[in-house]
């Protein structure tokens, strides 16, 4: 019966269906863990699931709308096999996607950066918000840092108190109990003996002063014995200098705990290094240096000795070992070193330095091909003949050493040096140094005159120097033939070095031969101008002069190049070289008025007035209608007292050139000579020809004003600002005329009208402020100044007036605003210098005056203020420097300067005299 019963547990031995998942029927799949299912593995594939469903007779449910959406491609090929063609297709699509993404990447990244920056600007990080405060912490001193209060409990929460208790030991209770008790009975021994006695021999007190003196006396006796010992050399005692004993004790470096800890850590690191890699020589050297720094010389020497044993082929270890020992031991160490590193030049040099006998220094026997050893050996020789013999042998042993060839050429006579350089050129055909040395040798020979022979003529010298040019040119060709291609910059550096070493003709020859290399034809001029400027900035005037000379040969009709050459000679050359340049310039550029005027002026400054007249005559021939040349000729004659000739020249100039400026100069000339009637006639005639020339109205009005003829002067100025309404000077002169006539109201009205015609004119605003100040209306002047600064916020004149209008404590802050607003206007720079002057900050004031005149040297008032300052606080040398620099700058503008320089009473005065007058007038 039992055997016929079905086995209910038979399914346990049967294989599970392919799609069977344990517990799925009762919903237990959510409780499966990693420990239940074991290591991760792939689930059944789509094919396996389809096969299992087919065995069970089931069909997979298919969503009819699954593939109807063309944009939804998910699971489209999920049931297919992934083959190699699919993989290649995926790679192609990925490449296409990457290419499309790369096309938009730059724009997308830029947009992202822009959005990020915008976001950061709107919502900055906490770190950025406190960046300025963190930078401010650098100014906090140690005392301020220590005084910062501790942070308290700001949470407003009550903290739990630690209410734990401990049992107090009985010893503390007993001790505390007997702390305040007093003894109220005597010891039995005290009662019997009548008290205790100190067990001293004689009962006397101890004298500690005498003990200290005795100790000092014993120390001095010991020091005397040591210093007088004669057995120091035998090693039984040490010689001590008693005077320097305490000083040496003071010089002992006491290391801190932190430094000692660092040394210990470094010692452990180096110990690990040399044990793990004993053949690493820098590790042994570093370990020995560490011990030397720690003051343990014995340990350092022991380490470096082990390093020499482990790294016998390292020259650095042997040299360090020699350094750490005294001379005698170092000789032994280096003797061992040459047995292991016999070809090391450094080892032999160190060994030779330790020898005091010159004959004992023979490293060349072991390393004959070392250039450095040959050079050191030659330096040891005191005789030039012996050095020459050594160098002759050296170039035989090392024929490719350029240094040795050049050293031998320098020691030989000129004739033999030429032969040496020829041999060197054949031995080392790729060396440019040899060709340059040959050029310098030829240049030196051109100046040498043998004894008993007459001096060379200039023609002979030039012929000898032409050989230098040919030699350098041939050298450049030969170097190119041997594929040695030096750049322009390298050749120019060699030229500068020749100039620095006193060979200007060789420098010139190098520039001639190489300055045109590697340059496009259209870039030549700009490149050469850049070379000139850079050479001049470095102080290499000869190189700059040579480049300019070559450029002028290529471009002889460039006026700017001739002007640059003349400026170079004026700054760094002689008067003769400047005359030569200007004479050549006017020949090549006869239509350049500036060059003619420069040539005439240099002749005049040299005191050669006839030569200046001759230059101007030639200029008249080349430029018959040149206004500048006519006026220069008039000035030359007037300055030299030839007033009649000057008047005739002006008459001829009005006929030939007939320009408005010549008519104006004619009227000014007559006015300066006191011929006011003639001057007025000249102005009237000129106004009929040039009614729009404002200066003619100014001269006419000023002449009438000087004659106290105010109605005529008023009419002249009125006609002027009607004809030339944009000329602010006419309006200002008309206003000052009314003010001088006592009509301040009319002066204000004129300036108001002028500002309407010429808006944003700081000069008119400044004059209006000055009118109010002269009228005594300080409040009106301040209001006018504020309006002016609103209209002209960058005006240096108005800001200067605003600074001085402030109270003294506020001027410095006002000056800072003025510098920012006016962009460092020279008038403001001069004002700041005057502020420092008022505060007695002499050096700062001098620096700011320097900045003011450097920024704009044409402002004469700045120079005058500087001279006034040096009169009070400087020396005569400082004042002379200011005067000379003013003459070189030739200023023409500034209100006070112009009013004094153009005054009829100051006609004919020099720039220095005008400067002194302006400095006296400034307040």
């Amino acid at each position: 019966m039992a055997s016929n019963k079905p086995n209910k547990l038979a399914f346990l031995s049967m294989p599970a269906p392919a799609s069977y998942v344990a517990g799925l029927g009762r919903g237990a799949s959510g409780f499966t863990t990693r420990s239940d299912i074991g290591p991760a593995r792939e689930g059944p594939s789509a094919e396996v699931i389809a096969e299992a469903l087919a065995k069970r007779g089931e069909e997979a449910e298919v969503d009819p709308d699954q593939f109807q959406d063309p944009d939804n491609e998910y699971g489209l090929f999920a049931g297919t096999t992934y083959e190699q063609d699919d993989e290649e297709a995926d790679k192609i699509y990925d490449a296409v996607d990457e290419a499309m993404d790369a096309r938009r990447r730059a724009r997308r990244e830029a947009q992202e950066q822009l959005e990020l920056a915008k976001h950061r600007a709107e919502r900055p990080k906490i770190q950025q918000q406190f960046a300025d405060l963190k930078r401010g912490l650098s100014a906090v001193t140690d005392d301020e840092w220590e005084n910062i209060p501790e942070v308290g409990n700001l949470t407003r929460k009550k903290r739990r108190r630690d209410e734990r208790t401990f049992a107090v030991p009985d010893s503390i209770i007993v001790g505390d109990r007997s702390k305040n008790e007093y003894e109220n009975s005597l010891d039995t021994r005290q009662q019997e003996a009548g008290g205790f006695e100190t067990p001293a021999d004689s009962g006397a007190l101890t004298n500690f002063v005498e003990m200290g003196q005795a100790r000092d006396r014993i120390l001095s006796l010991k020091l005397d014995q040591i210093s007088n010992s004669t057995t120091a050399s035998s090693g039984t005692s040490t010689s001590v200098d008693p005077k320097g004993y305490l000083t040496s004790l003071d010089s002992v470096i006491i290391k801190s705990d932190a430094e000692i800890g660092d040394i210990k850590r470094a010692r452990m690191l180096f110990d690990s290094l040399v044990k793990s890699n004993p053949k690493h020589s820098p590790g042994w050297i570093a370990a020995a240096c560490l011990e030397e720094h720690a003051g343990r010389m014995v340990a350092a020497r022991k380490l470096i000795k082990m390093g020499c044993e482990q790294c016998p082929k390292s020259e650095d270890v042997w040299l360090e070992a020699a350094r750490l020992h005294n001379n005698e031991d170092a000789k032994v160490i280096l003797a061992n070193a040459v047995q292991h590193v016999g070809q090391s030049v450094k080892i032999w040099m160190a060994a030779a330095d330790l020898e005091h006998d010159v004959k004992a220094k023979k490293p060349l026997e072991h390393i004959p091909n070392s250039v450095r050893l040959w050079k050191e050996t030659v330096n040891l020789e005191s005789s030039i003949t012996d050095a020459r013999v050594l160098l002759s042998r050296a170039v035989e042993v090392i024929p490719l050493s350029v240094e040795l060839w050049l050293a031998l050429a320098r020691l030989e006579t000129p004739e033999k040096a030429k032969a040496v350089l020829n041999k060197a050129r054949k031995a080392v055909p790729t060396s440019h140094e040899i060709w340059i040395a040959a050029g310098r040798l030829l240049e030196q020979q051109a100046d040498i005159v043998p004894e008993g022979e007459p001096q060379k003529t200039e023609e002979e010298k030039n012929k000898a120097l032409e050989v230098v040019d040919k030699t350098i040119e041939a050298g450049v060709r030969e170097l190119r033939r041997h594929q040695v291609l030096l750049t322009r910059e390298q050749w120019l550096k060699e030229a500068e070095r020749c100039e620095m070493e006193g060979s200007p003709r060789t420098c010139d020859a190098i520039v001639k031969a190489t300055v045109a290399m590697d340059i496009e034809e259209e870039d030549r001029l700009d490149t050469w101008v850049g070379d000139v400027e850079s050479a001049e900035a470095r102080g290499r005037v000869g190189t700059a002069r040579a480049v300019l000379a070559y450029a002028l040969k290529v471009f002889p009709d460039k006026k700017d190049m001739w002007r640059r050459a003349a400026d170079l000679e004026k700054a760094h050359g002689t008067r003769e070289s400047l005359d030569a340049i200007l004479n050549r310039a006017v020949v090549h550029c006869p239509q350049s008025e500036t060059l003619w005027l420069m040539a005439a002026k240099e002749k005049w400054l040299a005191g050669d007035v006839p030569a200046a007249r001759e230059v101007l005559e030639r200029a008249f021939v080349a430029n018959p209608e040149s206004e500048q040349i006519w006026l220069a000729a008039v000035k030359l004659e007037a300055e030299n007292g030839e007033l009649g000739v000057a008047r005739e020249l002006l008459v001829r100039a009005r006929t030939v050139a007939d320009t408005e400026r010549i008519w104006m100069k004619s009227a000014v000339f007559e006015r300066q000579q006191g011929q006011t009637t003639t001057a007025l006639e000249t102005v009237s005639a000129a106004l009929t020809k040039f009614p729009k020339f404002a200066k003619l109205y100014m001269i006419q009005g000023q002449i009438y004003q000087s004659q106290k003829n105010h109605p005529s002067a008023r009419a002249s100025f009125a006609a002027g600002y009607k004809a030339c309404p944009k000329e602010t000077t006419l309006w200002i002169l008309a206003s000052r005329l009314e003010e001088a006539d006592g009509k301040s109201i009319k002066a204000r009205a004129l300036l108001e009208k002028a500002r309407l015609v010429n808006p944003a004119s700081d000069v008119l605003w400044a004059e209006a402020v000055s009118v109010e100040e002269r009228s005594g209306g300080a409040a009106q002047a301040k209001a006018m100044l504020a309006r002016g600064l609103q209209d002209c916020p960058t005006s240096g004149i108005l800001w200067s007036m605003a600074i001085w209008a402030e109270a003294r404590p506020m001027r410095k802050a006002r000056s800072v605003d003025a510098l920012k607003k006016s962009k460092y206007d020279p008038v403001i720079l001069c004002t700041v210098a005057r502020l420092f002057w008022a505060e007695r900050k002499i050096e700062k004031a001098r620096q700011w005056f320097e900045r003011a005149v450097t920024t704009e040297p044409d402002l004469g008032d700045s120079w005058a203020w500087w001279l006034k300052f040096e009169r009070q606080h400087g020396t005569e040398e400082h004042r002379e420097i200011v005067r000379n620099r003013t003459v070189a700058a030739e200023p023409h503008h500034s209100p006070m300067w112009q009013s004094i320089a153009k005054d009829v009473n100051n006609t004919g005065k020099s720039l220095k005299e005008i400067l002194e007058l302006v400095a006296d007038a400034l307040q």
Side-chain angles (χ1 to χ4, degrees):
M1 291 290 292
S3 59
N4 293 330
K5 265 187 176 183
N7 188 2
K8 294 181 179 180
L9 301 178
F11 69 93
L12 294 175
S13 59
M14 295 171 61
S19 60
Y20 175 76
V21 179
L24 185 63
R26 64 179 184 273
S29 61
F31 299 93
T32 306
T33 63
R34 176 64 65 192
S35 60
D36 296 326
I37 64 176
R41 61 182 181 273
E42 293 184 1
S45 63
E47 291 85 353
V48 174
I49 294 172
E51 185 180 353
L53 291 173
K55 285 182 179 180
R56 293 166 61 178
E58 299 178 3
E59 293 183 2
E61 295 183 2
V62 179
D63 186 5
D65 298 329
Q66 181 178 0
F67 305 116
Q68 298 304 315
D69 187 1
D71 294 329
N72 183 11
E73 298 178 354
Y74 181 76
L76 184 62
F77 300 103
T80 61
T81 305
Y82 189 78
E83 298 178 349
Q84 187 176 0
D85 295 343
D86 301 322
E87 183 180 0
E88 291 176 359
D90 286 343
K91 288 181 180 179
I92 293 171
Y93 280 113
D94 290 340
V96 171
D97 290 339
E98 187 176 355
M100 295 296 291
D101 181 69
R103 291 173 58 183
R104 304 183 184 91
R105 187 180 302 149
R107 190 184 308 163
R108 185 179 66 250
E109 290 176 353
Q111 183 66 25
E112 289 174 356
Q113 291 291 335
L114 206 63
E115 292 176 357
L116 181 62
K118 185 177 179 181
H119 178 72
R120 291 288 183 231
E122 293 175 354
R123 301 181 62 186
K125 296 181 179 178
I126 299 296
Q127 181 181 4
Q128 294 174 351
Q129 293 179 11
F130 290 95
D132 54 339
L133 299 177
K134 290 171 69 177
R135 283 195 297 271
L137 289 177
S138 61
V140 177
T141 62
D142 293 341
D143 295 336
E144 292 173 346
W145 188 267
E146 293 295 335
N147 292 329
I148 295 175
E150 296 293 336
V151 179
N153 181 17
L154 303 179
T155 59
R156 295 184 179 179
K157 293 181 181 179
K158 291 183 178 180
R159 297 182 180 179
R160 290 185 61 187
R161 294 182 179 179
D162 192 359
E163 296 179 351
R164 290 181 296 174
T165 58
F166 303 93
V168 181
D170 295 341
S171 58
I172 295 178
I173 297 174
V174 173
D176 190 61
R177 182 186 63 186
S178 59
K179 182 171 62 176
N180 296 323
E181 291 183 356
Y182 297 94
E183 293 287 343
N184 52 14
S185 63
L186 294 174
D187 190 91
T188 54
R189 289 176 297 172
Q190 288 177 305
Q191 294 176 3
E192 293 173 358
F196 292 145
E197 292 183 359
T198 302
D201 295 338
S202 60
L205 295 174
T206 304
N207 191 341
F208 291 101
V209 176
E210 291 183 357
M211 289 178 65
Q213 293 176 351
R215 183 196 60 188
D216 294 342
R217 196 176 297 113
I218 291 171
L219 179 60
S220 63
L221 286 172
K222 286 184 178 180
L223 289 174
D224 292 339
Q225 290 174 1
I226 293 172
S227 62
N228 295 328
S229 174
T230 58
T231 60
S233 60
S234 63
T236 58
S237 67
T238 305
S239 178
V240 176
D241 178 15
K243 293 181 179 178
Y245 184 69
L246 295 178
T247 307
S248 64
L249 288 177
D250 290 337
S251 65
V252 174
I253 300 173
I254 301 174
K255 295 181 172 61
S256 63
D257 293 340
E259 191 174 0
I260 291 171
D262 293 341
I263 291 174
K264 287 182 179 178
R265 283 193 293 272
R267 187 180 288 124
M268 292 173 60
L269 286 172
F270 287 136
D271 185 50
S272 174
L273 174 63
V274 297
K275 283 181 180 177
S276 61
N277 190 3
K279 299 299 180 182
H280 185 61
S281 58
W284 292 103
I285 295 172
C289 289
L290 176 68
E291 298 298 341
E292 180 190 12
H293 177 70
R296 301 174 57 188
M297 288 301 298
V298 175
R301 289 168 182 164
K302 185 177 179 181
L303 276 172
I304 204 66
K305 181 181 178 184
M306 295 170 63
C308 292
E309 293 172 356
Q310 293 291 336
C311 309
K313 297 298 182 182
S314 172
E315 60 180 13
D316 295 330
V317 174
W318 290 105
L319 291 172
E320 185 67 17
R323 186 185 69 81
L324 292 174
H325 289 76
N326 56 31
N327 280 0
E328 296 302 324
D329 294 339
K331 289 180 182 179
V332 177
I333 290 169
L334 292 176
N336 293 330
V338 295
Q339 295 177 4
H340 294 89
V341 202
Q343 297 299 313
S344 172
V345 176
K346 291 182 180 179
I347 295 290
W348 282 106
M349 291 295 300
D353 290 339
L354 294 176
E355 295 292 342
H356 299 291
D357 185 9
V358 176
K359 295 182 180 178
K361 302 181 180 183
K362 298 180 180 179
L364 283 173
E365 297 177 0
H366 303 274
I367 314 175
N369 59 349
S370 171
V371 176
R372 185 179 174 189
L373 289 179
W374 277 106
K375 289 168 66 177
E376 293 294 333
T377 306
V378 170
N379 289 336
L380 292 174
E381 297 295 338
S382 58
S383 170
I384 296 179
T385 306
D386 295 340
R388 192 182 297 131
V389 172
L390 272 175
L391 284 171
S392 301
R393 175 61 182 159
V395 296
E396 292 177 6
V397 176
I398 315 173
L400 296 180
S401 173
V402 178
E403 294 180 75
L404 296 177
W405 282 108
L406 295 178
L408 178 59
R410 281 194 290 268
L411 292 178
E412 293 286 0
T413 59
E415 293 300 325
K416 292 184 178 179
K418 195 180 294 185
V420 168
L421 289 175
N422 281 329
K423 290 181 182 177
R425 178 173 55 81
K426 294 175 182 176
V428 193
T430 59
S431 171
H432 64 280
E433 292 98 338
I434 295 173
W435 287 100
I436 293 173
R440 295 183 61 186
L441 177 65
L442 292 170
E443 183 178 357
Q444 292 170 4
Q445 283 183 326
D447 295 331
I448 296 174
V449 179
E451 294 183 4
E453 292 189 9
Q455 291 288 334
K456 292 182 180 179
T457 62
E458 197 67 29
E459 186 178 352
E460 291 174 346
K461 282 185 179 180
N462 291 335
K463 188 177 290 187
L465 289 173
E466 286 176 2
V467 182
V468 179
D469 298 342
K470 294 178 181 177
T471 302
I472 297 297
E473 190 176 350
V476 173
R477 281 200 308 269
E478 285 295 314
L479 289 171
R480 283 181 180 172
R481 193 166 64 84
H482 287 90
Q483 302 301 317
V484 180
L485 302 175
L486 271 72
T487 62
R488 282 182 69 257
E489 289 72 19
Q490 290 173 317
W491 280 113
L492 288 176
K493 285 182 180 178
E494 292 293 336
E496 291 179 4
R497 189 168 61 83
C498 290
E499 178 191 354
M500 184 174 61
E501 294 175 358
S503 301
R505 187 56 185 251
T506 308
C507 165
D508 194 8
I510 292 173
V511 170
K512 285 180 184 176
T514 61
V515 77
M517 290 169 50
D518 307 328
I519 307 179
E520 297 292 337
E521 187 171 350
E522 59 270 13
D523 298 334
R524 289 183 299 176
L525 187 60
D526 294 337
T527 305
W528 289 338
V529 169
D531 293 337
V532 171
E533 290 175 352
S534 59
E536 189 176 2
R538 290 191 295 270
R540 300 290 171 255
V541 180
T543 306
R545 188 181 287 123
V547 175
L548 270 175
Y550 188 87
L552 288 171
K553 283 185 180 178
V554 180
F555 301 104
D557 56 343
K558 292 290 182 181
K559 295 182 287 186
D560 294 340
M561 295 298 291
W562 286 109
R563 178 71 182 273
R564 191 179 292 274
D567 292 339
L568 181 69
E569 294 300 333
K570 188 175 182 179
H572 304 286
T574 61
R575 194 177 293 277
E576 290 76 14
S577 62
L578 177 58
D579 286 342
I581 284 288
L582 290 172
N583 289 334
R584 290 174 55 202
V586 296
V587 170
H588 288 93
C589 303
Q591 305 302 320
S592 174
E593 300 172 358
T594 307
L595 294 174
W596 284 109
L597 294 175
M598 287 181 69
K601 185 177 181 180
E602 291 303 322
K603 296 288 186 184
W604 180 23
L605 292 176
D608 193 354
V609 178
R613 288 196 184 101
E614 182 185 353
V615 171
L616 290 175
E617 287 175 3
R618 290 162 54 200
F620 280 131
V621 174
N623 305 277
E625 297 183 0
S626 172
E627 172 189 285
Q628 291 184 346
I629 293 175
W630 279 106
L631 294 178
V634 171
K635 184 177 180 180
L636 176 67
E637 300 299 341
E639 292 286 342
N640 289 281
E642 300 291 339
L643 301 178
V645 178
R647 187 175 283 109
E648 290 177 6
L649 283 172
L650 282 170
V651 173
R652 289 174 56 195
R654 293 199 297 269
T655 306
V656 177
D658 195 21
T659 63
E660 53 193 19
R661 195 156 176 263
I662 288 178
W663 280 95
M664 180 199 70
K665 289 292 184 181
S666 301
V668 171
F669 177 78
E670 298 296 343
R671 183 186 175 192
Q672 288 173 350
Q673 305 308 317
Q675 305 293 329
T676 54
T677 306
T678 309
L680 287 172
E681 292 174 357
T682 306
V683 169
S684 300
L687 283 172
T688 57
K689 291 188 172 187
F690 310 103
K692 296 291 185 181
F693 190 49
K695 289 189 177 181
L696 294 173
Y697 295 104
M698 296 179 200
I699 295 170
Q700 189 181 42
Q702 287 173 340
I703 293 174
Y704 284 132
Q705 189 174 356
S706 64
Q707 295 175 347
K708 305 297 182 182
N709 189 355
H710 288 175
S712 299
R714 188 177 291 112
S716 297
F717 290 140
Y721 60 67
K722 286 178 183 176
C724 310
K726 296 296 183 181
E727 187 64 44
T728 57
T729 310
L730 274 170
W731 291 99
I732 292 172
L733 288 174
S735 169
R736 288 179 182 174
L737 174 65
E738 299 299 341
E739 194 177 359
D741 202 19
K743 300 176 181 177
S744 298
I745 297 175
K746 194 169 183 181
R748 291 191 189 96
L750 275 172
L751 290 174
E752 189 72 32
K753 188 176 180 182
R755 291 197 300 273
L756 292 174
V757 179
N758 301 282
S761 173
D762 57 345
V763 181
L764 292 174
W765 281 108
E767 184 63 24
V769 174
S770 300
V771 168
E772 299 298 341
E773 288 177 347
R774 289 192 290 266
S775 301
Q780 292 87 344
K782 203 164 187 179
M784 187 68 69
L785 184 57
R787 289 174 56 199
L789 284 173
Q790 288 179 353
D791 198 21
C792 308
T794 60
S795 169
I797 301 172
L798 294 177
W799 274 110
S800 177
M801 299 175 80
I803 291 170
W804 294 114
E806 294 288 341
R808 186 164 185 173
M810 298 296 296
R811 286 176 182 172
K812 184 176 289 187
R814 197 69 165 162
S815 67
V816 174
D817 296 338
L819 286 170
K820 291 179 181 177
K821 295 283 187 180
S822 64
K823 299 178 182 178
Y824 291 86
D825 188 276
V827 178
I828 298 298
L829 295 176
C830 184
T831 304
V832 173
R834 291 167 60 193
L835 287 178
F836 283 123
W837 178 10
E839 295 176 0
R840 300 287 177 176
K841 295 179 179 179
I842 308 304
E843 287 304 320
K844 278 196 172 183
R846 188 173 284 122
Q847 291 173 6
W848 280 85
F849 276 124
E850 174 74 33
R851 290 181 65 182
V853 299
T854 305
T855 305
E856 183 52 78
D858 193 47
L859 297 181
D861 286 2
S862 299
W863 292 103
W865 276 116
W866 194 4
L867 179 63
K868 195 178 184 72
F869 165 77
E870 295 297 351
R871 283 179 179 176
Q872 185 174 349
H873 297 289
T875 61
E876 183 58 36
E877 183 180 356
H878 286 109
R879 292 190 282 275
E880 193 60 31
I881 289 173
V882 174
R883 294 187 191 103
N884 293 334
R885 291 184 60 182
T886 306
V887 172
E890 295 183 2
H892 294 93
H893 296 91
S894 287
M896 187 63 70
W897 182 275
Q898 285 179 308
S899 63
I900 293 177
K902 294 186 176 182
D903 192 348
V904 180
N905 299 323
N906 297 325
T907 303
K909 290 185 177 178
S910 64
L911 268 174
K912 286 187 178 181
E913 293 172 332
I914 298 293
L915 178 66
E916 298 287 348
L917 291 173
V918 176
D920 293 335
L922 288 173
Q923 293 178 355

